[in-house]
Amino acid sequence: LPTGFRWTQKLKDSCYVGEINVSGGNECNGAVITPFDSDKVLAGIKELVSKKAEAIAVIGTFSPLFQEQELEVASIIEKYFPTVFYTLSHRIGSLGIVERRNATILNCALGDVLKKGFLGLKQSLYDLKIMSDVFLCKNNGTLMNFEEAINFPICTIASGPTNSFIGASHLVGEKNCIVVDVGGTSTDCGVILNSRAKKSTN
């Protein structure tokens, strides 16, 4: 399936400058599909950077099971392009290649703008003489530290409703319930099972 499957053209134009496909990848049993070629990886990254790519999304076949090749790409980026933001797909999604690829690209697209926002928040706290550690809400209802939020900004998207659901269930002492979060612009409904928000496929 093409990159940006089911994306609108406007979304694709706003966060995608191109891709390179190089040898590598693993089968689900760990067998190497084709030998990893670091020279072609380096050449490909140079090509993307020449096209004004501000970030690199690295997606390997079955990489959630076998991360070695994605980590090799990361070492190449850090050595030759130390200022370029990158995301490794095995740190973002599960085995599904379409979902993982899309989430990895979107994480890269969000990296610069949300980093500025997070740094602005931290500076504001310092200006107010609040010197505590900074944690941000994650969209699975947990917390993440400042560094994790900068590296994985996509994990903050839709964190508000999720944390609302979990907070409400905690306040009323119900581990299994349905929560309706009525806000200023939207109404969100969530299912809590064993004190955790149930994921939706929609």
Side-chain angles (χ1 to χ4, degrees), residues 45-53:
I45 295 171
K46 285 181 178 177
E47 178 185 330
L48 292 175
V49 170
S50 72
K51 293 180 179 179
K52 308 300 183 187

Side-chain angles (χ1 to χ4, degrees), residues 84-135:
V84 173
F85 181 78
Y86 69 88
T87 303
L88 306 182
S89 75
H90 75 267
R91 294 176 176 164
I92 289 287
S94 57
L95 288 177
I97 186 72
V98 174
E99 296 85 355
R100 178 161 46 90
R101 180 172 56 188
N102 288 348
T104 304
I105 295 170
L106 290 174
N107 190 72
C108 283
L110 293 168
D112 187 53
V113 65
L114 286 188
K115 180 179 180 179
K116 290 177 182 176
F118 296 154
L119 290 173
L121 168 64
K122 196 170 186 179
Q123 185 61 51
S124 296
L125 293 173
Y126 285 160
D127 293 344
L128 293 169
K129 309 267 189 271
I130 300 174
M131 302 302 179
S132 63
D133 293 332
V134 178
F135 293 90

Side-chain angles (χ1 to χ4, degrees), residues 160-170 177 179-181 188-192 197:
T162 307
N163 284 274
S164 243
F165 301 150
I166 292 174
S169 72
H170 176 73
C177 57
V179 180
V180 179
D181 175 19
D188 300 298
C189 300
V191 177
I192 300 295

Side-chain angles (χ1 to χ4, degrees), residues 140-142 161-179 190-199:
N140 66 356
T142 61
T162 307
N163 284 274
S164 243
F165 301 150
I166 292 174
S169 72
H170 176 73
L171 288 174
V172 299
E174 293 289 344
K175 292 184 178 181
N176 301 289
C177 57
I178 295 174
V179 180
V191 177
I192 300 295
L193 295 176
N194 297 319
S195 300
R196 300 299 295 269
K198 187 178 186 298
K199 290 182 180 180

Side-chain angles (χ1 to χ4, degrees), residues 53-106:
E54 298 175 357
I56 304 292
V58 183
I59 302 105
T61 309
F62 285 110
S63 62
L65 294 175
F66 310 99
Q67 301 94 30
E68 294 80 7
Q69 293 184 6
E70 283 196 357
L71 293 172
E72 284 191 59
V73 176
S75 67
I76 293 171
I77 295 172
E78 290 173 358
K79 181 177 180 180
Y80 295 99
F81 307 94
T83 61
V84 173
F85 181 78
Y86 69 88
T87 303
L88 306 182
S89 75
H90 75 267
R91 294 176 176 164
I92 289 287
S94 57
L95 288 177
I97 186 72
V98 174
E99 296 85 355
R100 178 161 46 90
R101 180 172 56 188
N102 288 348
T104 304
I105 295 170
L106 290 174

Side-chain angles (χ1 to χ4, degrees), residues 6 99 198-202:
R6 290 182 177 170
E99 296 85 355
K198 187 178 186 298
K199 290 182 180 180
S200 171
T201 56
N202 296 326

